[in-house]
Amino acid sequence: MARMLMLIRRELWEHRALWAFPLAVSVLMVLGAVFGRSALPAGRLPLPPEATQAVFAIGVLAFGSVQYVTMSI
């Protein structure tokens, strides 16, 4: 068991993209969710509130799809 844990640790150490890329996508998803729920000042975005929410939802869906594909690999 200790040998297997050491091999996994070595693999994660040598190939940082195995954990760094999913972590970066997760951070972007959290930031998108946080800023997607905040209200923008009036006049800054020429869209109605429903359209603004739809834009943020599409962004979170895009990041979520990337996260799903990355984690399934």
Side-chain angles (χ1 to χ4, degrees), residues 37-71:
R37 304 208 22 85
S38 66
L40 295 174
R44 299 248 354 229
L45 212 59
L47 298 172
E50 295 82 16
T52 305
Q53 290 174 352
V55 169
F56 283 121
I58 290 171
V60 170
L61 179 64
F63 284 126
S65 300
V66 172
Q67 180 76 14
Y68 177 74
V69 169
T70 303
M71 295 307 291

Side-chain angles (χ1 to χ4, degrees), residues 8-43:
I8 292 172
R9 184 178 295 146
R10 180 180 174 199
E11 193 69 27
L12 291 174
W13 180 49
E14 290 179 357
H15 304 285
R16 292 186 190 255
L18 289 175
W19 61 269
F21 185 70
L23 179 66
V25 172
S26 298
V27 168
L28 289 175
M29 286 179 61
V30 168
L31 288 176
V34 167
F35 290 116
R37 304 208 22 85
S38 66
L40 295 174

